[in-house]
Amino acid sequence: MNKFCKIFYAAMALVMVICHSSCNDEEELPTGELELDSGSSVTTETLKVVSYNILEGMKLDKDNNYDNFVAWVSEQAPDILAIEETNGFTKETLTALANRWGHSHAEICKETGYPVSLTSKYPIEVISRIRKGVSHGGIHAQIKGINILVLHLYPQSYAPSGSTAANGDAYRLEEIQTYLDNTVRKYPDEKYWLMMGDFNSASPLDKNDLASGSNINYQVHQTILDSGYRDPIREMNVNFVRSCPTVYGGWTGSSGAYKGSRIDFIYASGEAMRNMLNAQILMDDFTDNYSDHYPVTVTCRIYNK
């Protein structure tokens, strides 16, 4: 073989290696520590987020000065806590409570009705409080460079007074369109999103696990999925896990096809899902007995530049 041929075949082999490497774009969830170049200025850390509907301002622990609630949050040690039904709190009183579990930052959507709120170990930059055209309101914030949306959709089967929606399902669909319009659709260049809360509606991904699966309106969650969000709980757990009812809420065990419901979610954008490490619904002695909803948690990798 002459010198030209040797050079030609060596070049072809190099091209094949490069092509194989660049064309292998199959997406996988992370399985361990991310390795960065030794000269990179980017560092990584994990972020634990919990979303919890605490039943009318954690009314079941109010007479105990919220001591059981504080102990539970402290044990879970989330970096961010999203709360639905922060009833009876102001920003001042919520911040005082959050300080007891180690969060020095807190924001609330409003101080009347059934507000949502956020507490965090890290500074919270509120982008918007979404209150127009929705029932309980939502907060879009940035924490550690990622976008957080906490919301609470309308709970009833009938539309609220003054709405032109045909029923509760139609009104919830209007609400989720409002939230999407004010967040992921408004800021398309932002790629890292977590959307969480009490959605008061079921997902088509749970259709085969719901007793009335074929008769449920899935439009709210189909709209969310069609917008590019993914469901970490469904993707990272083999079996269906309910988020309600709790033991306090009347749960006595599965009966026939009935396994409970899942209406509490943390959704992740594609970028967030690629960095998702864990997703669970938290069931323990405290969450069994202090609300009618179970909390949802995710842990994901974030990048510090």
Side-chain angles (χ1 to χ4, degrees), residues 124-136:
I124 303 171
E125 179 188 356
V126 175
I127 307 301
S128 63
R129 289 176 171 84
I130 303 168
R131 294 186 285 241
K132 186 177 180 180
V134 295
S135 53
H136 298 317

Side-chain angles (χ1 to χ4, degrees), residues 15-149:
V15 169
M16 291 176 67
V17 169
I18 293 171
C19 181
H20 175 76
S21 175
S22 63
C23 293
N24 186 17
D25 291 333
E26 183 177 353
E27 180 179 312
E28 295 182 358
L29 296 179
T31 57
E33 291 298 319
L34 182 69
E35 293 186 6
L36 297 170
D37 292 339
S38 58
S40 173
S41 61
V42 177
T43 61
T44 67
E45 62 181 300
T46 58
L47 193 76
K48 181 177 180 179
V49 181
V50 172
S51 177
Y52 195 5
N53 182 325
I54 62 170
L55 183 59
E56 298 177 3
M58 190 49 66
K59 67 179 184 180
L60 298 177
D61 200 33
K62 184 175 181 179
D63 289 345
N64 193 45
N65 195 32
Y66 308 107
D67 286 350
N68 293 308
F69 182 40
V70 169
W72 181 85
V73 177
S74 299
E75 181 180 1
Q76 292 298 319
D79 298 295
I80 299 169
L81 176 63
I83 302 174
E84 300 83 56
E85 299 196 14
T86 322
N87 300 31
F89 283 87
T90 64
K91 180 178 178 178
E92 181 180 6
T93 58
L94 177 63
T95 301
L97 182 64
N99 273 313
R100 293 172 60 190
W101 58 67
H103 287 185
S104 55
H105 305 276
E107 296 289 347
I108 194 166
C109 178
K110 58 185 181 180
E111 295 183 351
T112 58
Y114 287 71
V116 300
S117 62
L118 282 167
T119 77
S120 173
K121 289 169 57 176
Y122 307 108
I124 303 171
E125 179 188 356
V126 175
I127 307 301
S128 63
R129 289 176 171 84
I130 303 168
R131 294 186 285 241
K132 186 177 180 180
V134 295
S135 53
H136 298 317
I139 298 176
H140 171 204
Q142 283 197 342
I143 302 173
K144 296 287 284 185
I146 70 172
N147 289 278
I148 303 286
L149 172 61

Side-chain angles (χ1 to χ4, degrees), residues 288-301:
D288 277 343
N289 295 295
Y290 281 86
S291 177
D292 51 351
H293 294 249
Y294 286 106
V296 186
T297 184
V298 300
T299 301
C300 50
R301 180 185 293 130

Side-chain angles (χ1 to χ4, degrees), residues 39 47 60 75 97 156 166 172 177 184 198 204 218 276 286:
L47 193 76
L60 298 177
E75 181 180 1
L97 182 64
Q156 306 298 343
R172 279 184 288 276
Q177 297 285 15
V184 290
D198 176 356
Y218 296 110
M276 193 63 58
F286 177 82

